[in-house]
Each structure stands twice: as structure tokens, then as C-alpha cells.
Amino acid sequence: MKIPRPKDPIDVGEAKRLLDSGLTLVGIGQRLGYRAASVARALRVAGVKIQRRRSPIKTEADRRLQITWRSIVARCTRPRDPLYARYGARGVRICGAWHDFVVFRDWARAHGWKPGLSLGLDVWEFGYAPGNCTWVSRSESIQQGILDGPKGALWGITAFGETKTASAWADDRRCTVGAQGLLERLERGLDPERAITLPQFAERRITGSRRSRPARKGSGRHPSRAIDWDKVRELYVKKGLDVAETALALDASYHGVLRGLRQRGWLIEHETVPWTKLQHGRHLHRAWLSMRERCRSPAHPEYAKVGGRGIRTCTEWEDFGAFHAWALRSGYRPGLCLARLDRARDYAPSNCRWLTRQEMSNRILPKISRKTRWTFTAFGETKGPTAWSRDRRCAVSLTGLVDRLRGGWKPEEAIVTPSKTGPEEPLVWVTAFGESKGVEDWVRDRRCRVGPSSLRKRLREGVPAELAITAPPFRVPVKKGRTERGGGR
């Protein structure tokens, strides 16, 4: 067993000198290579009185600054820190004065520190020092490569010529979701600008997500106030689009636009009836939106087959009213699907028609080549074994018919010959009432009152044929002294 070499005793004189210079016990321990508790114990044994200092952390701002200070010290001095490879391993150091948090705190307050800012380096080779550091925003630190995290590029989202974090974009007036919802949209492949401005109801159409955006505290904004009403006036009042078309053009809420138009007095009376009240309005509007999304949105599952190949919708169908009118004229009914006759051409009235789901699947699925079906001819007809087993003339099941044909039976005999479920009975001809029939035929006659077994038994016992056929079943004679039920004397 290897015994560790004991450490040299603590230099109490040096520790006392450092303590008098203003260093803390933690700073002294880092200088001498010991723990702060070991330094304090050695000073107390030597009779040095250690005065307990007041904590420099008095406010929430001090606590945040201390977190920043600890992160800087760790990335420059501790090899186990995740950022040591980018800073300490590359020679970035922290100046001696900043080993004391109080000095760092005073410098930060005097140089414009605010919550949310990060400490940036002007020249990396000079390290962290008062003359080489400035306070920058998180987005600026991401652009400079100073700040990085486990989510990589998602920390900095570039849209509309700006680069900000997800939290900063969530506070922007143009953003319609929270920070987590924005990151989820980007992970699903949406464009940053569309992910920021896409309303919740449009996201449900594209992705099927039903997650609603949590209300931000202190926002106090009504959903309709985020709409650009100048564009609404241009589209609705001047160009004559209806409420639904205006909402779709702006990617805004239909009810938000409708409410705002009513408040401003711009709403036309006939527009009070939404497209949901039209005949098949909901179904056709869903089909119309799906057609547009598969041509425009890369997030749609079929975009690569449609929009990725350059397929677009015609100018006429940009208006839902025109599409709705064409659908009713072309024979739409619920359950039909919109299909293009020529898959290389755009969506247009001359290239589209309504098909059933079975017809759509037949267009999509390739035709499978099958082997020639087994058929045989009987009674002048040619059918397969399954069809013959369902014929009224067939007296056996499908399995029995197939076994007979494989055994070499002629087709007509295999079909009409009844199956044998018991021992073979000899064919008996019975003559009665001037007719000669078999027992089975007499049993099916209306004059017969018994079954085939009873009729055969009567004939074997010598009962005349006509009596054996027409007599009802014999009653069992009751013994004397007992009732018919057999319960009394």
C-alpha cells in the first residue's frame, strides 16, 4: 500500500501576513495550497485572532455578480470546469486584484454592469483585467464567440437582421410564443422568422400541436393589439378581402381580426357570417389550407413531393371563396380528397378533381403483379374454387371441393356429390302413393311425419310404406300405477 507523502506544515507567518493584507481565508488557501479550514486552524493554534468578516453579498445584484465572478475564476484556474479548455488551457488568466470579489464587484458597478450582461474580453491574450474587459449583451457575446452553451446555436437566433436569445425574442412584440415554444418550433425545422411570428392556430394546422402559449406576466397585451392594422386596412378595406383571407395573409387570429374590425367600425355587415357557416365550409377550408401548406411550408410532410418540386397553387385559388365555389360546382362531398390529374402541374381548376380514398390509394400504391388464378369449367361456366363453393349447386365446403379436385374427381361430380358424414347407407327405393323415391326424398315430402331414421326403422319392421310415411311418431305406453310425469303412485 502506497502511503501518501505528508504535506509540509503551513507557514503561519506568511498566512498572517496575507491575512493582514486583506485576503480572505479562501484566498490564502489558494496561495499556499491548503484548504481554508486548515489555514484557519493553523492560525488559531498560533494564537492569531481571526475576525469574522461580514459577507459582501447584501443585495440580489451582489449575488448575481458573485455568480459571474466564480464562473470567471473557475474557467481560468480549474481544469475540471467545462470552459477551462477555451480559457485556462489557452493561457487566459485573471488578474491578481480580481481574486478578491469585493474589488471585482466595485469595478463592475463603476463600469455599467446590469443584470443580463456578460463580461467580454477585448484581447484574449491579456486575460481578465480591468482595462481589457467590457460588459456586453448576451447576443453580442454569442456573436463574438465568448458565450456558448449546451444548446449551441439555439442560444442566438438570427431573424429580421437581429441576433437575440430565445428569452429576448419571447419579450419582443413580434413573437407569439414563449422561449420554450420558440426553441421547439426551431427544432421542428421552422424558419426563425416564421417560428417567431407564426400564431398558435397556424402552428396547430402545420404541426398538429395543441400546446397553448402561457401568458407572460406583466405583458398586458390583448391578442388583437399585436396585429398590424395598417395592413389589415389595406387588405380588407381597400383590396376587398374577407376576414378569413385577411387573417391568413397576416398569419393572425381570425377572431382577433374580426374583433378589431368591429371596434374600429370597419366591419362590413355581410362579413359577420364567417366561412365556417358556409356549406361544407370547415372541410373545404381544411383542404384549402392543406393544399397551400404542402406547396409553401417546408414543415409539411409532403412538401418535398409537392412544394419542393416547384408545384404551386394558381392565382385564382389564393382566394378561399373562389376555391369554395369551384369545389361545390365540381361535386365535392365530405370524405373526398383533392387530387391533381397531372402531378407535374400546379393546383388549378383544370388540373384537379375530387377522388375517394380508395381511388387515391390506387393512384399512390404501385400495381402488384399476381399469378393467374386457378379456375375450372363445369356446367358450361368457368370459376375459381371459392366461387364454386358459394354456388347453390355445390354440396361440399371449399376445402372438400379442393380436395376432391386434387384427388382427380370430375368437376361436376365434385360439386354436386354430397359429403358423407357417417357410414354409407344403401340406397332404398320406397313405392307409395304411386311414386318411387328414396328415403331422403320421402322425408322431404310434406306427407311424411317422421325423420329418416324412424322411416327406415318402420320399413325394416314391415310397416306398410304409406302408413310408415304418414303415421305420427309412436307414443310410449304408460305403466299402470304411475302418472304420465312418473312422480306419483
Side-chain angles (χ1 to χ4, degrees), residues 253-422:
S253 169
Y254 170 82
H255 296 284
V257 174
L258 182 63
R259 189 184 303 109
L261 290 173
R262 283 175 178 169
Q263 293 173 356
R264 290 163 175 78
W266 298 347
L267 185 64
I268 305 174
E269 291 299 328
H270 69 82
E271 286 296 340
T272 57
V273 181
W275 50 263
T276 54
K277 302 298 182 181
L278 299 175
Q279 184 181 5
H280 306 307
R282 292 185 180 274
H283 299 285
L284 287 173
H285 195 263
R286 190 180 299 113
W288 180 69
L289 290 175
S290 178
M291 173 188 67
R292 296 184 65 188
E293 292 298 340
R294 67 166 59 99
C295 293
R296 300 181 180 184
S297 175
H300 198 278
E302 298 182 4
Y303 176 79
K305 300 178 182 178
V306 183
R309 296 172 50 201
I311 305 298
R312 296 292 181 265
T313 57
C314 65
T315 308
E316 179 184 354
W317 279 3
E318 291 297 324
D319 180 15
F320 171 68
F323 177 82
H324 180 268
W326 171 86
L328 296 181
R329 290 196 309 269
S330 59
Y332 169 80
R333 63 180 185 274
L336 297 182
C337 305
L338 183 64
R340 287 173 291 129
L341 301 177
D342 186 356
R343 299 184 182 181
R345 294 169 54 193
D346 296 342
Y347 283 95
S350 60
N351 190 40
C352 294
R353 67 175 180 177
W354 299 100
L355 301 178
T356 62
R357 293 187 180 276
Q358 183 63 35
E359 292 172 342
M360 290 290 290
S361 62
N362 292 338
R363 293 184 69 208
I364 296 173
L365 297 177
K367 295 183 179 180
I368 302 174
S369 59
R370 298 179 179 178
K371 296 181 180 180
T372 305
R373 191 176 61 174
W374 176 28
T375 59
F376 59 92
T377 303
F379 307 107
E381 302 178 30
T382 301
K383 301 180 185 177
T386 304
W388 276 116
S389 66
R390 296 172 182 170
D391 194 286
R392 292 184 178 182
R393 292 167 287 186
C394 187
V396 292
S397 63
L398 173 62
T399 305
L401 179 61
V402 172
D403 292 341
R404 288 180 176 184
L405 293 173
R406 289 176 177 173
W409 285 46
K410 293 182 178 180
E412 296 181 356
E413 294 180 359
I415 293 171
V416 299
T417 304
S419 60
K420 298 177 182 180
T421 56

